[in-house]
Amino acid sequence: MTTKTATRVMQAGTDAAAAAARCLAAGGLVAFPTETVYGLGADASNSRAIARLYEAKGRPSFNPLIAHVTSPAAARRLALFDAAAERLAAAFWPGPLTLVLPKAKNCAVAALATAGLDSIAMRVPDSPVAQAILAAFGGPIVAPSANRSGHVSPTAAAHVLNDLGGRVDLIVDGGPTLVGVESTIVSCVGDPVLLRPGGLPREAIEAVLGRPLMEPPARDAGPVAPGMLASHYATAARLRLDANDVRDGEALLAFGPKLPPGAGEAAAALNLSATGDLTEAAANLFAHLRTLDRPGVAGIAVMPIPHAGLGEAINDRLARAAAPRGA
Ligand code: TXA
Ligand code: MG
């Protein structure tokens, strides 16, 4: 069953926030920018809207969603914070950090959105456009990244239209997103665990906690570590990571000022950051992958990218995009 719908695109602003709130209240699907990537929002308390959201994304329904709220106070109505969670929320919210927490007793978020788990992923986004929509709506909004399941996350409204045009009701265009990779996810159900590296570097989190984050359970542990599907961020063209040359028919995804042999003959070439800046590289990552991933490109040679800071999230997304299909 695929529901066809007319997709409206509005520039971010007061009118768009009001229209988004009305649409969400009526059970509609609204794509909007956050500081990380564009999200596809639905009323967190409306199971039918959430079912439509899964359908629009083509997402396996065991994959739970992040609930977005305006403030830590709003998050405390839905989830239980221990001391570590309080410290992280105080240090990093609003911002690109998602906390997985035990669900509060009277949590208003539909069980479908949390895939029946007794934990919930919470996030307070730092984007003024997202904040305006949350304030106008007046309740939690569940929002996965606004791409078809298995595609790279959208960092511009045009990416959303490409993936989800005809499947969502409204796209709020707030321009390109600043961070460019998804939020870092830390579970605070027990000792803090890094579930997904992302827009907030691990080092910053560990500095606030005063101890290292634990590693997530193994990939094959099933839906306890959801969202960790190996090929989650697939491109059609094969990626060749840590490439020190560009081979016949390949495009080049470069990093830094010094290009490898063969760069001049690349089918196409884009640089994540010519100066070797990891923040700039994260912001460009998904848009550059989309641009290079086109018919006629046999593969994409990706230059080595350092693992420190935001490099951890960038390398994680690249490894997933390069993983064998069907994994
Ligand atoms: O930056 C972001 O986080 C973006 C923007 C739109 O906020 N959202 C995003 O959502 O990346 P999504 O659905 O693409 O990824 C959310 C991840 C998934 O891997 C999901 O499995 C995990 O969060 N997750 C959600 N609830 C969870 C829970 N209770 N326990 C463990 N993981 C959870
Ligand atoms: Mg996603």
Side-chain angles (χ1 to χ4, degrees), residues 72-126:
R76 277 189 213 98
R77 288 196 281 276
L78 303 175
L80 304 176
F81 286 68
D82 66 6
E86 286 291 359
R87 219 172 310 142
L88 293 177
F92 299 116
W93 279 356
L97 173 69
T98 294
L99 294 176
V100 171
L101 304 165
K103 247 176 154 172
K105 204 151 166 248
N106 296 313
C107 181
V109 173
L112 181 58
T114 53
L117 298 172
D118 44 22
S119 60
I120 181 169
M122 301 285 331
R123 168 156 139 71
V124 179
D126 190 28

Side-chain angles (χ1 to χ4, degrees), residues 6-136:
T7 299
R8 215 169 138 203
V9 180
M10 290 180 82
Q11 290 303 310
T14 319
D15 288 355
R22 275 196 307 274
C23 184
L24 290 165
L29 302 180
V30 178
F32 61 94
T34 75
E35 73 277 27
T36 56
V37 300
Y38 274 69
L40 177 59
D43 175 354
S45 66
N46 182 337
S47 307
R48 286 190 59 141
I50 296 161
R52 250 191 94 203
L53 189 157
Y54 283 125
E55 187 202 351
K57 270 195 67 103
R59 153 166 290 192
S61 59
F62 54 73
N63 211 355
L65 307 174
I66 298 172
H68 297 67
V69 292
T70 49
S71 66
R76 277 189 213 98
R77 288 196 281 276
L78 303 175
L80 304 176
F81 286 68
D82 66 6
E86 286 291 359
R87 219 172 310 142
L88 293 177
F92 299 116
W93 279 356
L97 173 69
T98 294
L99 294 176
V100 171
L101 304 165
K103 247 176 154 172
K105 204 151 166 248
N106 296 313
C107 181
V109 173
L112 181 58
T114 53
L117 298 172
D118 44 22
S119 60
I120 181 169
M122 301 285 331
R123 168 156 139 71
V124 179
D126 190 28
S127 145
V129 179
Q131 280 285 345
I133 291 169
L134 284 164

Side-chain angles (χ1 to χ4, degrees), residues 85-312:
E86 286 291 359
R87 219 172 310 142
L88 293 177
F92 299 116
W93 279 356
L97 173 69
T98 294
L99 294 176
V100 171
L101 304 165
K103 247 176 154 172
K105 204 151 166 248
N106 296 313
C107 181
V109 173
L112 181 58
T114 53
L117 298 172
D118 44 22
S119 60
I120 181 169
M122 301 285 331
R123 168 156 139 71
V124 179
D126 190 28
S127 145
V129 179
Q131 280 285 345
I133 291 169
L134 284 164
F137 179 59
I141 298 175
V142 284
S145 52
N147 51 280
R148 291 277 293 172
S149 189
H151 291 192
V152 298
S153 292
T155 55
H159 302 161
V160 181
L161 196 58
N162 262 339
D163 266 26
L164 298 174
R167 306 174 142 267
V168 306
D169 301 295
L170 173 63
I171 299 173
V172 178
D173 185 350
T177 59
L178 285 176
V179 177
V181 291
E182 302 85 345
S183 60
T184 301
I185 305 182
V186 172
S187 170
C188 288
V189 180
D191 283 338
V193 178
L194 180 64
L195 292 181
R196 177 177 78 180
L200 181 67
R202 165 206 291 270
E203 294 87 336
I205 298 167
E206 292 179 338
V208 165
L209 290 176
R211 59 183 151 141
L213 287 162
M214 316 239 299
E215 294 308 311
R219 286 253 166 86
D220 57 5
V224 284
M228 302 314 234
L229 299 176
S231 68
H232 194 82
Y233 296 88
T235 46
R238 279 234 159 270
L239 297 195
R240 192 163 61 81
L241 303 185
D242 297 319
N244 292 311
D245 59 0
V246 183
R247 298 178 190 162
D248 250 11
E250 279 185 336
L252 170 66
L253 185 61
F255 178 81
K258 200 174 172 305
L259 301 185
E265 289 80 57
L270 288 173
N271 203 325
L272 289 170
S273 169
T275 58
D277 179 306
L278 287 167
T279 304
E280 184 187 13
N284 285 329
L285 178 65
F286 292 136
H288 281 9
L289 281 175
R290 276 178 191 262
T291 305
L292 294 179
D293 187 22
R294 59 180 189 222
V297 168
I300 303 173
V302 183
M303 286 175 65
I305 292 159
H307 285 255
L310 285 182
E312 184 175 13

